[in-house]
Amino acid sequence: MSMLIFLEFSEEINMPAAMIYDAVRTPRGKGKKGGALHGVRPVDLLATSLRAVADRNELDTSRVDDVVIGCVTQAGEQGACIARFGALTAGYDQRASGVTINRFCASGLEAINQGAAMVASGFYNLVVSGGVESMSRVPMGSDGGAIWDPQTQWEVGSVPQGVSADLLATVHGFDRAEADAFAVESQRRAASASEHGRFDRSVIPVVDRSGLPILSEDEYPRPGTTTDALAKLAPSFEMMGRQFGMDALTKGRYPHIDRISHIHHAGNSSGIVDGSAAVLLGSEEFGAAHGLKPRARIRSFACCGSEPVIMLDGPLPATQKALAHAGMSIKDIDLFEVNEAFAAVPMTFMKHFDVSPDRVNVHGGAIAMGHPLGATGAMLLGTLLDAMEDNDASTGLVTLCIGGGMGVTTIIERT
């Protein structure tokens, strides 16, 4: 069984409300040179979302207190505080400052949580949060760092994330067929959502300088995916785990696991894509004074560290912590977005909390649509909010696993 340790978290926290006024995102483009968004600079990709959220809400951007943006690979074209220059490129008033943050895969949601905390503190009235990642132009890992350093991996006991995903599946007893079936369902749900216009409220096209569309809908989904087709794919992390010794590194923490079952591959793991997202947050008083109608409020959020070898079960303690802060139980949540970094992550979440699959990722997830690292968390919150409105749901929860063993969770409630 997992060595995940659950702590006693504090009871409900009462804080001023941070309201969600709007959420937009770009389509996700394939994260390679042939992808539709490869020719778009990251700063322009971010500016697309920032401009849209300002235009849709007729914002006086001089009133924006800060622009908080998640971006994981902050190197090259994504370096030098892309939040600030994305805002300037989008035409924001120079008084709207910017800050770029990195909490790996949850950076976009962390940006929203930090923005909400700013508003709830009473020192900020209006914050634009979100994220950006151009994985085709700035490849994952090109910023270097300790997470890629073998010596650090040996010292802290970490292993590559794909091996962690296979370890997570092994610990919780998920097999290849179950993971592939989950992946096919993600594709089906994404295709159905697209066909029925479930993304139309939030997705804004990426256009060139002449205003001509570059990409107007998600490019990555493969709606014809079948379990038979996925069964033909070779496991992506088996060689790394068994022949290069990564499986052996897990023995120090999981000695009872005789052999890791390598079940993940390109078809049941998240896709590499480009994209950006923006979420408009503000105080209830500011919104009322400036004609903004809230769609939801941030009820609670939490971040939590978890065991760094298995790495990907951080959503479990983070969710428990966020629920405790809100004075809620898992049964109080109507819909969930659990990032599909690997199939085993949402499968573990559903098993642990006994949540029905028909309430999780109802419009598909990152297996079907892709995972633009720094933007994904903000995209998921927007997708969740749209799904809540479509289904007349009151409460929703979004959570992501994070490299190095962490989790972030946010609970929202419609107004």
Side-chain angles (χ1 to χ4, degrees), residues 28 52 66 68 70 77 89 91 97 116 139 155 168 170 182 210 237 245 285 306 323-324 372 400:
R28 296 169 173 93
D66 209 355
V68 185
E77 293 181 314
T89 301
S97 54
E155 288 174 349
L168 183 70
T170 303
F182 181 91
S210 300
F237 310 105
E285 295 75 15
S306 63
L323 288 169
L400 298 93

Side-chain angles (χ1 to χ4, degrees), residues 188-220:
R188 187 199 67 77
R189 292 183 181 191
S192 176
S194 179
E195 180 183 351
H196 292 91
R198 302 305 187 194
F199 302 133
D200 293 354
R201 197 174 317 154
S202 298
V203 174
I204 40 97
V206 179
V207 300
D208 63 17
R209 294 187 181 278
S210 300
L212 298 175
I214 296 173
L215 187 64
S216 57
E217 61 183 23
D218 294 312
E219 184 181 30
Y220 189 78

Side-chain angles (χ1 to χ4, degrees), residues 314-395:
L316 307 186
T319 292
Q320 185 185 34
K321 189 175 183 181
L323 288 169
H325 287 342
M328 302 172 74
S329 75
I330 201 73
K331 294 180 180 179
D332 295 320
I333 306 298
D334 296 322
L335 293 177
F336 299 83
E337 283 289 327
V338 184
N339 189 35
E340 296 174 1
F342 302 90
V345 176
M347 291 168 68
T348 297
F349 185 93
M350 289 186 291
K351 178 182 177 181
H352 179 83
F353 287 109
D354 192 24
V355 174
S356 172
D358 62 8
R359 296 165 58 201
V360 178
N361 302 353
V362 296
H363 290 162
I367 290 174
M369 292 181 286
H371 177 16
L373 304 178
T376 303
M379 288 184 171
L380 292 184
L381 185 134
T383 299
L384 175 64
L385 182 54
D386 287 344
M388 289 168 63
E389 291 173 346
D390 289 340
N391 292 277
D392 196 26
S394 296
T395 57

Side-chain angles (χ1 to χ4, degrees), residues 65-379:
D65 292 308
D66 209 355
V67 177
V68 185
I69 297 299
C71 182
V72 174
T73 309
Q74 296 182 33
E77 293 181 314
Q78 289 182 167
C81 193
I82 195 171
R84 172 60 172 165
F85 289 94
L88 292 173
T89 301
Y92 278 38
D93 188 278
Q94 66 182 17
R95 284 168 284 187
S97 54
V99 61
T100 309
I101 63 174
N102 179 5
R103 199 186 287 280
F104 295 138
C105 296
S107 297
L109 189 60
E110 178 65 26
I112 291 168
N113 292 347
Q114 290 195 20
M118 292 173 172
V119 171
S121 74
F123 292 108
Y124 297 73
N125 292 312
L126 194 67
V127 174
V128 178
S129 292
V132 63
E133 205 79 30
S134 177
M135 300 182 76
S136 67
R137 295 176 71 101
V138 188
M140 180 171 55
S142 57
D143 55 340
I147 193 171
W148 306 104
D149 176 27
Q151 180 179 341
T152 302
Q153 289 184 341
W154 279 96
E155 288 174 349
V156 305
S158 181
V159 295
Q161 201 167 81
V163 175
S164 293
D166 289 337
L167 173 62
L168 183 70
T170 303
V171 166
H172 290 280
F174 300 124
D175 61 26
R176 168 74 179 260
E178 291 174 297
D180 286 355
F182 181 91
V184 169
E185 178 62 9
S186 179
Q187 295 283 355
R188 187 199 67 77
R189 292 183 181 191
S192 176
S194 179
E195 180 183 351
H196 292 91
R198 302 305 187 194
F199 302 133
D200 293 354
R201 197 174 317 154
S202 298
V203 174
I204 40 97
V206 179
V207 300
D208 63 17
R209 294 187 181 278
S210 300
L212 298 175
I214 296 173
L215 187 64
S216 57
E217 61 183 23
D218 294 312
E219 184 181 30
Y220 189 78
R222 294 150 291 177
T225 300
T226 65
T227 53
D228 287 342
L230 295 186
K232 298 175 183 178
L233 299 178
S236 297
F237 310 105
E238 185 171 28
M239 181 177 293
M240 182 187 298
R242 292 179 180 163
Q243 296 187 25
F244 292 95
M246 295 295 104
D247 286 5
L249 288 180
T250 70
K251 287 290 187 180
R253 298 285 179 91
Y254 299 87
H256 58 288
I257 300 298
D258 295 327
R259 184 181 178 88
I260 294 176
S261 177
H262 290 283
I263 69 168
H264 288 98
H265 50 74
N268 60 25
S269 305
S270 57
I272 294 174
V273 295
D274 304 332
S276 73
V279 175
L280 182 61
L281 303 165
S283 68
E284 194 168 12
E285 295 75 15
F286 183 91
H290 293 83
L292 296 173
K293 183 178 179 181
R295 296 173 64 185
R297 71 183 180 104
I298 304 287
R299 177 75 182 265
S300 172
F301 57 81
C303 183
C304 193
S306 63
E307 197 279 300
V309 174
I310 206 164
M311 193 185 303
L312 305 176
D313 58 7
L316 307 186
T319 292
Q320 185 185 34
K321 189 175 183 181
L323 288 169
H325 287 342
M328 302 172 74
S329 75
I330 201 73
K331 294 180 180 179
D332 295 320
I333 306 298
D334 296 322
L335 293 177
F336 299 83
E337 283 289 327
V338 184
N339 189 35
E340 296 174 1
F342 302 90
V345 176
M347 291 168 68
T348 297
F349 185 93
M350 289 186 291
K351 178 182 177 181
H352 179 83
F353 287 109
D354 192 24
V355 174
S356 172
D358 62 8
R359 296 165 58 201
V360 178
N361 302 353
V362 296
H363 290 162
I367 290 174
M369 292 181 286
H371 177 16
L373 304 178
T376 303
M379 288 184 171

